[in-house]
mmCIF file of all heavy atoms in Angstrom:
data_model
loop_
_atom_site.group_PDB
_atom_site.id
_atom_site.type_symbol
_atom_site.label_atom_id
_atom_site.label_comp_id
_atom_site.label_asym_id
_atom_site.label_seq_id
_atom_site.Cartn_x
_atom_site.Cartn_y
_atom_site.Cartn_z
ATOM 1 N N LEU A 1 109.273 -49.564 47.955
ATOM 2 C CA LEU A 1 109.972 -48.305 47.691
ATOM 3 C C LEU A 1 109.063 -47.225 47.110
ATOM 4 O O LEU A 1 109.008 -46.096 47.629
ATOM 5 C CB LEU A 1 111.162 -48.542 46.758
ATOM 6 C CG LEU A 1 111.987 -47.288 46.434
ATOM 7 C CD1 LEU A 1 112.526 -46.637 47.697
ATOM 8 C CD2 LEU A 1 113.113 -47.630 45.469
ATOM 9 N N LEU A 2 108.344 -47.510 46.054
ATOM 10 C CA LEU A 2 107.527 -46.466 45.425
ATOM 11 C C LEU A 2 106.392 -45.972 46.331
ATOM 12 O O LEU A 2 106.146 -44.756 46.384
ATOM 13 C CB LEU A 2 106.979 -46.958 44.085
ATOM 14 C CG LEU A 2 108.037 -47.089 42.972
ATOM 15 C CD1 LEU A 2 107.389 -47.607 41.693
ATOM 16 C CD2 LEU A 2 108.739 -45.772 42.721
ATOM 17 N N PRO A 3 105.693 -46.847 47.072
ATOM 18 C CA PRO A 3 104.725 -46.323 48.032
ATOM 19 C C PRO A 3 105.363 -45.410 49.079
ATOM 20 O O PRO A 3 104.737 -44.437 49.523
ATOM 21 C CB PRO A 3 104.146 -47.590 48.673
ATOM 22 C CG PRO A 3 104.287 -48.631 47.620
ATOM 23 C CD PRO A 3 105.591 -48.317 46.951
ATOM 24 N N ALA A 4 106.598 -45.706 49.467
ATOM 25 C CA ALA A 4 107.291 -44.840 50.426
ATOM 26 C C ALA A 4 107.583 -43.476 49.809
ATOM 27 O O ALA A 4 107.455 -42.440 50.471
ATOM 28 C CB ALA A 4 108.584 -45.497 50.893
ATOM 29 N N VAL A 5 107.962 -43.449 48.532
ATOM 30 C CA VAL A 5 108.179 -42.175 47.838
ATOM 31 C C VAL A 5 106.888 -41.367 47.807
ATOM 32 O O VAL A 5 106.880 -40.160 48.109
ATOM 33 C CB VAL A 5 108.707 -42.419 46.402
ATOM 34 C CG1 VAL A 5 108.716 -41.117 45.599
ATOM 35 C CG2 VAL A 5 110.109 -43.023 46.435
ATOM 36 N N ASP A 6 105.780 -42.023 47.444
ATOM 37 C CA ASP A 6 104.487 -41.334 47.403
ATOM 38 C C ASP A 6 104.119 -40.776 48.780
ATOM 39 O O ASP A 6 103.625 -39.642 48.892
ATOM 40 C CB ASP A 6 103.392 -42.301 46.942
ATOM 41 C CG ASP A 6 103.483 -42.631 45.459
ATOM 42 O OD1 ASP A 6 104.152 -41.868 44.723
ATOM 43 O OD2 ASP A 6 102.899 -43.645 45.046
ATOM 44 N N ALA A 7 104.357 -41.558 49.831
ATOM 45 C CA ALA A 7 103.996 -41.127 51.186
ATOM 46 C C ALA A 7 104.827 -39.927 51.629
ATOM 47 O O ALA A 7 104.304 -38.994 52.257
ATOM 48 C CB ALA A 7 104.187 -42.287 52.163
ATOM 49 N N VAL A 8 106.102 -39.932 51.296
ATOM 50 C CA VAL A 8 106.986 -38.821 51.674
ATOM 51 C C VAL A 8 106.572 -37.539 50.961
ATOM 52 O O VAL A 8 106.495 -36.459 51.575
ATOM 53 C CB VAL A 8 108.452 -39.189 51.368
ATOM 54 C CG1 VAL A 8 109.342 -37.948 51.355
ATOM 55 C CG2 VAL A 8 108.971 -40.186 52.389
ATOM 56 N N LEU A 9 106.300 -37.629 49.673
ATOM 57 C CA LEU A 9 105.875 -36.447 48.920
ATOM 58 C C LEU A 9 104.534 -35.916 49.446
ATOM 59 O O LEU A 9 104.356 -34.705 49.598
ATOM 60 C CB LEU A 9 105.759 -36.791 47.433
ATOM 61 C CG LEU A 9 107.085 -37.053 46.707
ATOM 62 C CD1 LEU A 9 106.818 -37.649 45.326
ATOM 63 C CD2 LEU A 9 107.896 -35.767 46.565
ATOM 64 N N ALA A 10 103.619 -36.833 49.740
ATOM 65 C CA ALA A 10 102.304 -36.413 50.248
ATOM 66 C C ALA A 10 102.431 -35.736 51.608
ATOM 67 O O ALA A 10 101.800 -34.703 51.864
ATOM 68 C CB ALA A 10 101.379 -37.621 50.343
ATOM 69 N N GLU A 11 103.251 -36.294 52.491
ATOM 70 C CA GLU A 11 103.426 -35.704 53.817
ATOM 71 C C GLU A 11 104.024 -34.304 53.731
ATOM 72 O O GLU A 11 103.643 -33.403 54.484
ATOM 73 C CB GLU A 11 104.323 -36.591 54.674
ATOM 74 C CG GLU A 11 104.536 -36.058 56.083
ATOM 75 C CD GLU A 11 105.421 -36.954 56.915
ATOM 76 O OE1 GLU A 11 105.444 -38.175 56.668
ATOM 77 O OE2 GLU A 11 106.104 -36.436 57.825
ATOM 78 N N ALA A 12 104.953 -34.117 52.800
ATOM 79 C CA ALA A 12 105.598 -32.815 52.647
ATOM 80 C C ALA A 12 104.746 -31.837 51.834
ATOM 81 O O ALA A 12 105.060 -30.643 51.777
ATOM 82 C CB ALA A 12 106.959 -32.985 51.981
ATOM 83 N N GLY A 13 103.702 -32.338 51.186
ATOM 84 C CA GLY A 13 102.867 -31.477 50.356
ATOM 85 C C GLY A 13 103.577 -31.007 49.101
ATOM 86 O O GLY A 13 103.322 -29.898 48.615
ATOM 87 N N ARG A 14 104.448 -31.862 48.574
ATOM 88 C CA ARG A 14 105.199 -31.505 47.369
ATOM 89 C C ARG A 14 104.920 -32.535 46.278
ATOM 90 O O ARG A 14 104.515 -33.670 46.548
ATOM 91 C CB ARG A 14 106.702 -31.452 47.660
ATOM 92 C CG ARG A 14 107.069 -30.605 48.864
ATOM 93 C CD ARG A 14 106.680 -29.143 48.705
ATOM 94 N NE ARG A 14 107.535 -28.442 47.777
ATOM 95 C CZ ARG A 14 108.634 -27.775 48.139
ATOM 96 N NH1 ARG A 14 109.000 -27.751 49.433
ATOM 97 N NH2 ARG A 14 109.358 -27.119 47.264
ATOM 98 N N ALA A 15 105.162 -32.130 45.025
ATOM 99 C CA ALA A 15 104.964 -33.019 43.883
ATOM 100 C C ALA A 15 106.313 -33.504 43.370
ATOM 101 O O ALA A 15 107.338 -32.838 43.546
ATOM 102 C CB ALA A 15 104.214 -32.295 42.771
ATOM 103 N N LEU A 16 106.293 -34.655 42.711
ATOM 104 C CA LEU A 16 107.542 -35.223 42.203
ATOM 105 C C LEU A 16 108.234 -34.276 41.225
ATOM 106 O O LEU A 16 109.465 -34.184 41.206
ATOM 107 C CB LEU A 16 107.257 -36.569 41.524
ATOM 108 C CG LEU A 16 108.485 -37.342 41.020
ATOM 109 C CD1 LEU A 16 109.438 -37.667 42.170
ATOM 110 C CD2 LEU A 16 108.048 -38.631 40.324
ATOM 111 N N ASN A 17 107.446 -33.543 40.430
ATOM 112 C CA ASN A 17 108.070 -32.653 39.447
ATOM 113 C C ASN A 17 108.697 -31.410 40.076
ATOM 114 O O ASN A 17 109.305 -30.599 39.376
ATOM 115 C CB ASN A 17 107.077 -32.264 38.351
ATOM 116 C CG ASN A 17 105.860 -31.525 38.878
ATOM 117 O OD1 ASN A 17 105.831 -31.091 40.035
ATOM 118 N ND2 ASN A 17 104.842 -31.391 38.029
ATOM 119 N N GLU A 18 108.566 -31.236 41.401
ATOM 120 C CA GLU A 18 109.247 -30.142 42.094
ATOM 121 C C GLU A 18 110.654 -30.534 42.541
ATOM 122 O O GLU A 18 111.448 -29.667 42.910
ATOM 123 C CB GLU A 18 108.438 -29.711 43.320
ATOM 124 C CG GLU A 18 107.080 -29.107 43.030
ATOM 125 C CD GLU A 18 106.364 -28.745 44.308
ATOM 126 O OE1 GLU A 18 106.831 -27.815 45.010
ATOM 127 O OE2 GLU A 18 105.342 -29.388 44.626
ATOM 128 N N VAL A 19 110.943 -31.820 42.527
ATOM 129 C CA VAL A 19 112.250 -32.298 42.978
ATOM 130 C C VAL A 19 113.337 -31.810 42.027
ATOM 131 O O VAL A 19 113.198 -31.887 40.798
ATOM 132 C CB VAL A 19 112.263 -33.843 43.054
ATOM 133 C CG1 VAL A 19 113.659 -34.364 43.358
ATOM 134 C CG2 VAL A 19 111.275 -34.323 44.105
ATOM 135 N N THR A 20 114.434 -31.295 42.581
ATOM 136 C CA THR A 20 115.528 -30.751 41.763
ATOM 137 C C THR A 20 116.731 -31.677 41.676
ATOM 138 O O THR A 20 117.630 -31.446 40.880
ATOM 139 C CB THR A 20 115.995 -29.393 42.327
ATOM 140 O OG1 THR A 20 116.478 -29.578 43.669
ATOM 141 C CG2 THR A 20 114.853 -28.387 42.331
ATOM 142 N N GLY A 21 116.761 -32.705 42.513
ATOM 143 C CA GLY A 21 117.882 -33.640 42.469
ATOM 144 C C GLY A 21 117.556 -34.909 43.228
ATOM 145 O O GLY A 21 116.773 -34.905 44.180
ATOM 146 N N LEU A 22 118.143 -36.016 42.786
ATOM 147 C CA LEU A 22 117.997 -37.312 43.431
ATOM 148 C C LEU A 22 119.295 -37.663 44.143
ATOM 149 O O LEU A 22 120.382 -37.359 43.651
ATOM 150 C CB LEU A 22 117.698 -38.409 42.405
ATOM 151 C CG LEU A 22 116.260 -38.642 41.913
ATOM 152 C CD1 LEU A 22 115.384 -39.106 43.048
ATOM 153 C CD2 LEU A 22 115.709 -37.453 41.201
ATOM 154 N N VAL A 23 119.181 -38.301 45.291
ATOM 155 C CA VAL A 23 120.325 -38.829 46.026
ATOM 156 C C VAL A 23 120.052 -40.305 46.264
ATOM 157 O O VAL A 23 118.977 -40.670 46.750
ATOM 158 C CB VAL A 23 120.525 -38.113 47.375
ATOM 159 C CG1 VAL A 23 121.749 -38.660 48.094
ATOM 160 C CG2 VAL A 23 120.630 -36.614 47.178
ATOM 161 N N VAL A 24 121.008 -41.169 45.924
ATOM 162 C CA VAL A 24 120.771 -42.595 46.062
ATOM 163 C C VAL A 24 121.994 -43.270 46.665
ATOM 164 O O VAL A 24 123.127 -42.970 46.320
ATOM 165 C CB VAL A 24 120.410 -43.230 44.699
ATOM 166 C CG1 VAL A 24 121.541 -43.079 43.685
ATOM 167 C CG2 VAL A 24 120.028 -44.691 44.860
ATOM 168 N N GLY A 25 121.735 -44.192 47.600
ATOM 169 C CA GLY A 25 122.808 -44.983 48.175
ATOM 170 C C GLY A 25 123.314 -46.000 47.173
ATOM 171 O O GLY A 25 122.526 -46.746 46.584
ATOM 172 N N VAL A 26 124.627 -46.037 46.957
ATOM 173 C CA VAL A 26 125.216 -46.928 45.952
ATOM 174 C C VAL A 26 125.776 -48.206 46.566
ATOM 175 O O VAL A 26 126.387 -49.014 45.899
ATOM 176 C CB VAL A 26 126.319 -46.211 45.152
ATOM 177 C CG1 VAL A 26 125.772 -44.987 44.442
ATOM 178 C CG2 VAL A 26 127.504 -45.828 46.048
ATOM 179 N N GLY A 27 125.547 -48.401 47.867
ATOM 180 C CA GLY A 27 126.059 -49.585 48.517
ATOM 181 C C GLY A 27 127.355 -49.293 49.258
ATOM 182 O O GLY A 27 127.669 -48.120 49.507
ATOM 183 N N PRO A 28 128.069 -50.336 49.609
ATOM 184 C CA PRO A 28 127.913 -51.723 49.161
ATOM 185 C C PRO A 28 126.672 -52.389 49.723
ATOM 186 O O PRO A 28 126.198 -52.040 50.793
ATOM 187 C CB PRO A 28 129.188 -52.391 49.692
ATOM 188 C CG PRO A 28 129.568 -51.578 50.885
ATOM 189 C CD PRO A 28 129.198 -50.166 50.546
ATOM 190 N N GLY A 29 126.182 -53.365 48.935
ATOM 191 C CA GLY A 29 124.990 -54.071 49.356
ATOM 192 C C GLY A 29 124.726 -55.251 48.445
ATOM 193 O O GLY A 29 125.359 -55.397 47.399
ATOM 194 N N PRO A 30 123.781 -56.122 48.822
ATOM 195 C CA PRO A 30 123.417 -57.270 47.992
ATOM 196 C C PRO A 30 122.851 -56.825 46.643
ATOM 197 O O PRO A 30 122.214 -55.770 46.541
ATOM 198 C CB PRO A 30 122.349 -57.984 48.833
ATOM 199 C CG PRO A 30 122.601 -57.525 50.233
ATOM 200 C CD PRO A 30 123.075 -56.115 50.104
ATOM 201 N N TYR A 31 123.037 -57.650 45.648
ATOM 202 C CA TYR A 31 122.729 -57.303 44.267
ATOM 203 C C TYR A 31 121.296 -56.825 44.070
ATOM 204 O O TYR A 31 121.058 -55.723 43.576
ATOM 205 C CB TYR A 31 122.994 -58.519 43.374
ATOM 206 C CG TYR A 31 122.740 -58.294 41.908
ATOM 207 C CD1 TYR A 31 123.737 -57.813 41.072
ATOM 208 C CD2 TYR A 31 121.492 -58.569 41.342
ATOM 209 C CE1 TYR A 31 123.507 -57.621 39.716
ATOM 210 C CE2 TYR A 31 121.249 -58.372 39.996
ATOM 211 C CZ TYR A 31 122.255 -57.904 39.190
ATOM 212 O OH TYR A 31 122.023 -57.698 37.869
ATOM 213 N N THR A 32 120.321 -57.638 44.454
ATOM 214 C CA THR A 32 118.932 -57.328 44.109
ATOM 215 C C THR A 32 118.421 -56.085 44.820
ATOM 216 O O THR A 32 117.903 -55.165 44.197
ATOM 217 C CB THR A 32 118.027 -58.528 44.432
ATOM 218 O OG1 THR A 32 118.502 -59.679 43.724
ATOM 219 C CG2 THR A 32 116.595 -58.241 44.019
ATOM 220 N N GLY A 33 118.558 -56.052 46.130
ATOM 221 C CA GLY A 33 118.057 -54.896 46.871
ATOM 222 C C GLY A 33 118.715 -53.608 46.438
ATOM 223 O O GLY A 33 118.047 -52.577 46.266
#
């Protein structure tokens, strides 16, 4: 997951501190993942 975040930010040429909001899937899904 974290390498994918780094790759997406690098491809877009943006920094993490520029992000204004997070969106996350809440499931349903298996516990660990």
Side-chain angles (χ1 to χ4, degrees):
L1 181 58
L2 289 179
V5 171
D6 287 342
V8 163
L9 290 169
E11 181 180 332
R14 309 298 287 268
L16 184 60
N17 61 12
E18 295 179 67
V19 173
T20 61
L22 277 295
V23 182
V24 61
V26 301
Y31 181 89
T32 303

